[in-house]
Amino acid sequence: AIKGNGRNGFAFFDPSMAAEADERHRLEVDFRAGLARGEFELYYQPVVEAGTRRRVGMEALVRWNHPDQGLIAPDRFIAMAEDTGLVGTLGEWILQTACAEAATWPDDVKIAVNISPVQFRKTNLLDVIMCALVDSGLPPERLEIEITERVLLEWEAEHVSILHQLKNLGVAVALDDFGTGYSSLSYLTAFPFDKLKIDRCFTRDLLARDGCGAIVCAIVNLGRTLDMVTVAEGVETEAQQRILEAAGVGQMQGYLFGRPTPADGLAIGGPATAAADGTV
Ligand code: C2E
Ligand code: MG
Ligand code: MG
Ligand code: MG
């Protein structure tokens, strides 16, 4: 397939590209309809404290219940939602829903919400977050937002100011997928993050690649120095858990502790917990 212009300025027609564009367009049409029809749903994945393995928080992860295609993961629609600006509408719904859900949980369980870089460019992000807090009655201290380095790539004074205002409000700010961008370390001087989420690839390769354990230790030490909690993502095995705890990570997240689950399947607060604990 020849993409873009050739040397002579010719663009070759490529049927596979046309099909791709077609599918993308259909997805966009479906996405608008899906937003109106309420086809999106939040799943929640536990975050546990290292050592005690006590649940300290939940991360909200969006899913799309597509009428024909079934459950669609965010990697397949977030980019399109960003390109079309629709991520603003979706993001507002996500914040409202996640905060309302978390308000029903015990006080010591926080809620983490992923924020797209495009949401940052919308000047009303702060208003959207404050509305979600006020409407739900969730104390700001129980909300944490997760941003990736992509936000910081387009770092502007305004973005830093929004993050500072959030921190002043009591909302925590985490840097997600840490260690995958190419100049991660310089970002750490731009803003005092509360949390560093060590990317899943380091956990995955802990036992397979020699350097990974050393990198995790280095990030943990960096976190200590800068007063940031470190979280290991993608913990799937007890062997990984042992190494990560020995390295001194503060928190862990992964299938070992729980997969992302719809709100009604969560054993958190209410009678479900009591039954699961065997106390009823
Ligand atoms: P993320 O924020 O880094 O989320 C972690 C991803 O790793 C989730 O994928 C989660 O299901 C997956 N995961 C968790 N534990 C394990 C594990 O032990 N093993 C493996 N193999 N995977 C694990 P998911 O839900 O498909 O989300 C992918 C990405 O999409 C997220 O990465 C985040 O960047 C984005 N995303 C998800 N929900 C939202 C949202 O509500 N808003 C925005 N803006 N982005 C979202
Ligand atoms: Mg995240
Ligand atoms: Mg991540
Ligand atoms: Mg990710």
Side-chain angles (χ1 to χ4, degrees), residues 75 114 148 176-177 199-200 233:
D75 288 336
N114 294 283
T148 64
D176 205 349
D177 302 344
D199 193 75
R200 180 150 56 87
E233 296 187 308

Side-chain angles (χ1 to χ4, degrees), residues 42 45 59-63 73-75 78 82 87 90-91 94 113-117 119 146 148 176-177 197 199-200 233-236 253-256 258-260:
L42 291 184
Q45 185 182 34
E59 178 175 4
L61 296 159
V62 70
R63 301 288 181 263
D75 288 336
I78 292 285
E82 287 175 338
V87 78
L90 178 68
I94 289 170
V113 178
N114 294 283
I115 302 286
S116 143
Q119 277 177 279
E146 297 191 1
T148 64
D176 205 349
D177 302 344
K197 297 191 78 172
D199 193 75
R200 180 150 56 87
E233 296 187 308
V235 184
E236 295 181 356
Q253 194 176 355
Y255 295 165
L256 183 63
R259 288 185 179 253

Side-chain angles (χ1 to χ4, degrees), residues 80-133:
M80 180 268 295
E82 287 175 338
D83 292 347
T84 54
L86 292 167
V87 78
T89 312
L90 178 68
E92 196 168 334
W93 175 83
I94 289 170
L95 277 160
Q96 283 278 339
T97 308
C99 289
E101 178 59 34
T104 70
W105 300 342
D107 289 345
D108 58 352
V109 183
K110 293 190 178 193
I111 178 75
V113 178
N114 294 283
I115 302 286
S116 143
V118 178
Q119 277 177 279
F120 258 83
R121 259 176 263 138
K122 304 199 167 253
T123 47
N124 68 344
L125 178 65
L126 207 63
D127 291 341
V128 168
I129 290 177
M130 289 204 287
C131 279
L133 290 170

Side-chain angles (χ1 to χ4, degrees), residues 55-68:
R55 179 173 48 201
V56 290
M58 301 288 251
E59 178 175 4
L61 296 159
V62 70
R63 301 288 181 263
W64 180 6
N65 291 305
H66 191 284
D68 311 319

